[in-house]
Amino acid sequence: MAVKECGSQGSNSPSLLNFIRRNIICLVILIIVTIIASVLAWITLHTPKPRFILQDATVFSFNVSGNPPNMLTSNIQTTLISRNPNDKTGIYYDRLDVYASYHNQQITLPTSIPSTYQGYEEVNVWSPFVGGEDVPIARANALSLLQEQSRGAVKVLVQIDGKIRWKVGPFARTSRLFVRCPAFISFGNSDAGVIVGGRGVKYTLITVCSVSV
């Protein structure tokens, strides 16, 4: 009686099905990864940066002290305007630290702005105080600040360092944010500003800030 040898053929069938199933799963994963990478690349290449304007600065105190001069006591309230120019991408401001600098040196303590979300083409306005008491500064910068004050105007930078996320649907990209806003502050000329609360002088600036991400 003849015996048919079909056991080996039947045993290959499950292995073949598993091989096909694994390849289909790998192909689906590859397609999903490609789609995610394409969306993130689009966000990176086609998303305009947020725009910032330094609208004004109210100076309550700005005094260089020390013998020799090497400390600064200041209290300045700024008004910063941020606009999201995108009509399809929202922006999460996860961290924002604001401070003033002079000649590449930070001269105030940082002030944190609470985390917030900025929708499509939305505008946010923040009014943080920057300053500090007896903040150590380089002696050369202290002398330069005294000289500029005596001449009637000081140029400082209001800076923002932070972390933001662009979000398109379920996809997001995280980036560092660097904002630089030049501020020319007049001293000894009350007509250049508006007296606020009897102690401060508010200077209108309307300065367009540089933004790097």
Side-chain angles (χ1 to χ4, degrees):
M1 181 167 138
V3 179
K4 295 182 179 178
E5 296 183 3
C6 55
S8 60
Q9 180 179 355
S11 62
N12 286 336
S13 181
S15 299
L16 180 61
L17 289 175
N18 289 335
F19 176 77
I20 295 174
R21 189 180 296 115
R22 284 196 299 268
N23 278 274
I24 291 176
I25 292 173
C26 290
L27 180 61
V28 171
I29 293 175
L30 179 61
I31 292 173
I32 293 174
V33 170
T34 301
I35 292 174
I36 294 174
S38 298
V39 172
L40 293 178
W42 183 90
I43 295 174
T44 302
L45 297 174
H46 297 88
T47 304
K49 298 176 291 188
R51 297 169 184 169
F52 282 81
I53 291 176
L54 175 61
Q55 178 173 283
D56 55 59
T58 303
V59 180
F60 294 94
S61 64
F62 196 93
N63 300 306
V64 177
S65 60
N67 187 20
N70 62 352
M71 291 182 291
L72 175 67
T73 296
S74 62
N75 186 16
I76 304 171
Q77 184 178 21
T78 62
T79 301
L80 292 158
I81 300 174
S82 169
R83 179 177 180 271
N84 178 8
N86 304 285
D87 59 359
K88 295 182 178 64
T89 308
I91 300 176
Y92 286 92
Y93 293 92
D94 293 329
R95 180 179 62 82
L96 293 175
D97 293 326
V98 185
Y99 59 91
S101 67
Y102 180 79
H103 289 183
N104 298 317
Q105 181 185 23
Q106 183 175 331
I107 60 173
T108 70
L109 301 177
T111 298
S112 295
I113 295 176
S115 301
T116 187
Y117 172 75
Q118 191 173 52
Y120 313 147
E121 299 182 330
E122 191 172 283
V123 174
N124 287 10
V125 179
W126 299 297
S127 298
F129 283 85
V130 295
E133 185 173 353
D134 292 335
V135 176
I137 59 176
R139 188 177 303 175
N141 287 343
L143 293 173
S144 181
L145 281 172
L146 287 172
Q147 291 174 357
E148 289 193 18
Q149 273 190 282
S150 67
R151 292 197 291 265
V154 171
K155 179 186 177 182
V156 299
L157 281 179
V158 176
Q159 302 191 192
I160 302 175
D161 292 351
K163 184 175 72 173
I164 63 174
R165 281 179 293 140
W166 282 285
K167 185 172 176 60
V168 180
F171 304 104
R173 180 179 75 94
T174 301
S175 178
R176 291 292 304 274
L177 175 71
F178 303 96
V179 181
R180 304 291 182 266
C181 309
F184 291 89
I185 300 175
S186 299
F187 290 93
N189 181 11
S190 58
D191 294 335
V194 178
I195 304 298
V196 177
R199 297 186 304 113
V201 182
K202 182 176 183 177
Y203 300 98
T204 300
L205 303 172
I206 315 295
T207 302
V208 177
C209 309
S210 65
V211 180
S212 301
V213 294

